[in-house]
């Protein structure tokens, strides 16, 4: 299995801050990476695919980068609606598809 | 607007079979651009992919669950279903169905639409 490791596990920030969440793959996955946002009691929502492509309707303050084994999700100018848990997912290998353990973004 | 809705019992006894159905509305399951998948999330924990199915019946399963999982599709009802056998307390989770985008000739990529999820508790 390809292991996905996110850091940090928890992140405290304020409205207006810029935050970065990292995701490391246990082997190269090229750019086959997606990012999701999940709020309590809700399903995950796709934000980014192919490492840096913004899903339709997602605000431009969300940005993804990276390739190979190192990836980042950056949120520019945090908004109150952005406090949630974020997951990365690799789709380089379907055996199996794997997610990171999640990063909880909290209000400072 | 595409919508997915999971339905099934919220309580299953240990050793029995968990059965869920996902109904797709606002779009057809008969699309060459998508697989249809199941993902679960134990309370307070992360996401685990269970498996996918294509409208033709082709499937991908998580190797860790393969021996216990069956995913099927009913295109006439625009539905797909999950069966997980021999459940234990470790299978207690919120179960999501989702649409899994696939580019022509490739394996599926990312999940772009999700159902709201349904909590299934395994307990006697």
């Amino acid at each position: 299995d390809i292991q996905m490791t996110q850091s940090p596990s928890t992140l405290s920030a304020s409205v207006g801050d810029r935050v970065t969440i990292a995701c490391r793959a246990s082997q190269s996955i090229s750019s086959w990476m997606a990012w999701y946002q999940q709020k309590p009691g809700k399903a995950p929502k796709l934000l980014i695919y192919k490492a840096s492509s913004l899903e339709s309707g997602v605000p431009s303050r969300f940005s993804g980068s990276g390739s190979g084994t190192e990836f980042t999700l950056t949120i520019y100018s945090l908004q109150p609606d952005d406090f949630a848990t974020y997951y990365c997912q690799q789709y380089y290998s379907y055996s199996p598809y794997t997610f990171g353990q999640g990063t909880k973004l909290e209000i400072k | 607007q595409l919508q997915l809705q999971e339905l099934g019992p919220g309580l299953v006894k240990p050793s029995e079979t968990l059965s869920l159905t996902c109904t797709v509305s606002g779009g057809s399951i008969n699309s060459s651009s998508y697989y249809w998948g199941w993902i679960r999330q134990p309370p307070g924990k992360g996401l685990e992919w269970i498996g996918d199915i294509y409208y033709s019946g082709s499937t991908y399963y998580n190797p860790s669950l393969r021996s216990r999982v069956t995913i099927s599709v009913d295109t006439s009802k625009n539905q797909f279903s999950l069966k997980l056998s021999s459940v234990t307390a470790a299978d207690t989770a919120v179960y999501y169905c989702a649409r899994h985008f696939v580019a022509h000739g490739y394996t599926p990529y990312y999940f772009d639409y999700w159902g709201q999820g349904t909590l299934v508790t395994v307990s006697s």
Side-chain angles (χ1 to χ4, degrees), chain A residues 70-107:
Chain A
E70 303 287 340
F71 299 85
T72 58
L73 173 70
T74 300
I75 311 173
Y76 295 91
S77 188
L78 269 175
Q79 299 301 300
D81 191 49
D82 299 338
F83 292 95
T85 299
Y86 293 84
Y87 292 93
C88 58
Q89 178 228 332
Q90 67 79 20
Y91 50 95
Y92 176 84
S93 169
Y94 64 86
S95 193
Y97 296 101
T98 49
F99 294 85
Q101 83 279 13
T103 294
K104 185 176 182 179
L105 179 54
E106 299 180 328
I107 300 175

Side-chain angles (χ1 to χ4, degrees), chain B residues 39-108:
Chain B
I39 302 101
R40 68 180 183 178
Q41 184 172 38
K45 296 188 178 181
L47 300 161
E48 179 181 34
W49 170 71
I50 299 170
D52 287 346
I53 193 163
Y54 202 47
Y55 72 93
S56 63
S58 174
T59 54
Y60 292 105
Y61 293 138
N62 189 323
S64 70
L65 298 169
R66 186 193 309 274
S67 64
R68 298 194 292 131
V69 172
T70 302
I71 298 176
S72 58
V73 64
D74 186 337
T75 56
S76 67
K77 295 182 178 179
N78 229 31
Q79 294 177 337
F80 61 105
S81 299
L82 168 70
K83 291 188 184 299
L84 180 65
S85 64
S86 305
V87 298
T88 69
D91 295 309
T92 294
V94 174
Y95 285 76
Y96 295 100
C97 59
R99 190 176 79 171
H100 204 170
F101 174 77
V102 58
H104 180 69
Y106 291 87
T107 54

Side-chain angles (χ1 to χ4, degrees), chain B residues 14-37:
Chain B
S15 80
E16 295 190 345
T17 296
L18 178 160
S19 296
L20 295 173
T21 295
C22 182
T23 299
V24 179
S25 58
S28 176
I29 208 167
N30 279 314
S31 171
S32 60
S33 296
Y34 305 103
Y35 271 67
W36 303 88

